[in-house]
Each structure stands twice: as structure tokens, then as C-alpha cells.
Amino acid sequence: MLFHNPLRQAVLIKRYKRFLADVELENGEVITAHCPNTGAMTGCAEPGMRVWLSDSENPKRKYRYTWELAETFNGQLICVNTHRANHIAGEALKNNSIEALAGLQQLSAEQKYGYDNRRIDWFGRDQQQRQVYIEVKSVTLAENQQGYFPDTVSQRALDHLRSLQDMIADGHRAVVLYTVLHSGIENVSAAHHIDPQYAEGCHKANAVGVEFYALGCELTDKGITPMRELPVLS
């Protein structure tokens, strides 16, 4: 995934009201940018961090710039724009980057499914013509090269696990694909210490056949490239 135009560099002053971030541009101007991340953003939004913004090129938009990347104080890059995860995961699926999901056919995004007509991030059929439902999760919380999801208690994520279990019960395949958007993460696990209910939900989902994979990416200010599968730890 390439950014459509060159990102603009800045320094983070503060993130607030979940969706807003004040930053100082290289010319000294202070502006407010849109923050497309509803999570806690632990370790991703420290004042003084170097950040990169995309330009909507729409002067009429209330917040013309969108916060895309952050750099930790030890030089690791993070994509804070969680909306990028689905696109990146789609590229990985089309490029067969996850061995167990290689060769999927009829790939399509944002398909309605389940009994409540929620949307699945990616749908496809495997080589045995089984329906495959793939829920994508963005991982940015890092502790000593260990990635965790979620970074705050998430009832929504738990509900997604239950919907995937329904797909297993109906005879289909169901997948959680953690898209790792932090260059310092080498493996992923459920955040037992943050959301024990989600962690228990993962254990139950895995026991009935829900598959869990993690995708490592290369991050630069030019774009984000899906690279390799990372271990998912129980």
C-alpha cells in the first residue's frame, strides 16, 4: 500500500478527544489533524514523537490532514491509522503472504454475513470451495517485541469472535488476521492483562476451529508493505 501523496512530517503535541491531535509542522505552524484511531494508542501517542500526516488536499475539510504514522523514541515506526489495516491485509491475501490462506478465490471486502447482517472484512473461498470469513485486527501495542490485541477493553472484538464461531458451526472457515502495524513487534497474542474476556474468547474460538494468524509489515513514510507471517501465541 502506497500513500497517495508525500506525507508531511510534524511533531506531536498531544492527542485528545480520541479523534484529534495537535501537531507542530516543520515550519513551526501548529495545526489540528484528524486521528483515525479509537483505541488507547498506548506507546503510540507520546508528546514529542515524530509523526507523519497525509494531506486530503481538500481545504474545505474541517481537518485537512490525517495522522498516519508515528515514530517511537527508539526509532520504531507505527501506523496509527487503523483504517489502513484492511487494505494491507487484502494485499497480503491476494499475494498469498499467509500460507494457510493462499489461493483464496472470489476475494471481496466488506461483505454482510451472520444472523445480524454485520460486515466481514474479507470473504473468499478456499481451494476446497469452503467459504472463508476473515476478520482483520490492527495491532500497535508493543511490549518488548510482543504485540498485543486489543489495547483497551473491546466488546466489539469479542462480538466478532462469537460471530466467527457461528460461521464455524455452519461449516465454514473463520479467521482472525492480526495486521501488525508496528515495526518492533515479532509475535502477537491476546492482551490477557488488558481484556481478559477477549483473551478467553480467543481460547474458546480457537478450540472450535477459528484460525488465528498475524501479518508482519514493512513501514516507511512512502507506504506499508505486507511481508511475512508472524507467530500468534496463546
Side-chain angles (χ1 to χ4, degrees):
M1 184 215 76
L2 296 176
F3 295 112
H4 294 306
N5 49 33
L7 300 185
R8 191 160 184 181
Q9 194 175 135
V11 173
L12 179 66
I13 298 173
K14 63 177 179 178
R15 179 238 187 170
Y16 57 104
K17 295 182 180 177
R18 291 205 302 172
F19 298 107
L20 301 178
D22 287 347
V23 302
E24 182 178 346
L25 301 176
E26 291 181 291
N27 63 5
E29 180 184 1
V30 174
I31 65 168
T32 300
H34 172 58
C35 176
N37 190 317
T38 61
M41 293 183 69
T42 304
C44 305
E46 302 299 322
M49 276 184 170
R50 185 161 57 155
V51 299
W52 285 262
L53 315 172
S54 61
D55 185 353
S56 69
E57 299 182 326
N58 180 4
K60 295 182 180 180
R61 202 177 89 167
K62 185 174 182 179
Y63 302 109
R64 173 172 172 169
Y65 292 94
T66 298
W67 184 8
E68 299 284 353
L69 302 174
E71 183 180 34
T72 67
F73 296 118
N74 60 1
Q76 295 168 340
L77 279 180
I78 309 163
C79 176
V80 302
N81 186 345
T82 57
H83 301 302
R84 301 290 186 184
N86 282 6
H87 187 176
I88 296 162
E91 286 187 1
L93 294 170
K94 292 170 186 176
N95 294 335
N96 300 319
S97 300
I98 304 295
E99 184 177 357
L101 300 175
L104 292 182
Q105 305 166 3
Q106 301 176 21
L107 273 171
S108 55
E110 296 293 327
Q111 296 297 303
K112 290 183 178 180
Y113 80 112
Y115 306 111
D116 54 359
N117 266 338
R118 68 177 63 218
R119 292 185 180 274
I120 194 70
D121 293 316
W122 286 96
F123 169 83
R125 292 182 183 273
D126 65 14
Q127 294 178 355
Q128 287 75 46
Q129 291 303 302
R130 292 175 295 181
Q131 296 179 26
V132 185
Y133 295 85
I134 303 170
E135 185 70 37
V136 176
K137 299 299 182 188
S138 171
V139 179
T140 59
L141 176 59
E143 297 177 9
N144 299 320
Q145 296 187 315
Q146 173 72 48
Y148 292 100
F149 181 88
D151 66 357
T152 189
V153 174
S154 177
Q155 181 62 46
R156 185 168 180 267
L158 185 59
D159 290 342
H160 288 160
L161 288 177
R162 292 167 177 161
S163 293
L164 291 176
Q165 290 177 77
D166 289 340
M167 296 301 98
I168 293 290
D170 288 344
H172 310 306
R173 289 179 67 187
V175 175
V176 174
L177 179 54
Y178 294 118
T179 302
V180 177
L181 299 180
H182 190 304
S183 66
I185 290 175
E186 292 297 325
N187 48 65
V188 176
S189 71
H192 302 76
H193 57 305
I194 294 173
D195 191 344
Q197 283 190 304
Y198 175 80
E200 179 62 22
C202 287
H203 177 74
K204 291 179 179 178
N206 184 246
V208 300
V210 176
E211 304 166 46
F212 291 80
Y213 305 106
L215 175 68
C217 301
E218 180 182 61
L219 294 88
T220 75
D221 62 352
K222 303 294 188 298
I224 302 171
T225 305
M227 297 296 291
R228 60 193 175 98
E229 186 175 348
L230 298 177
V232 177
L233 307 180
S234 58

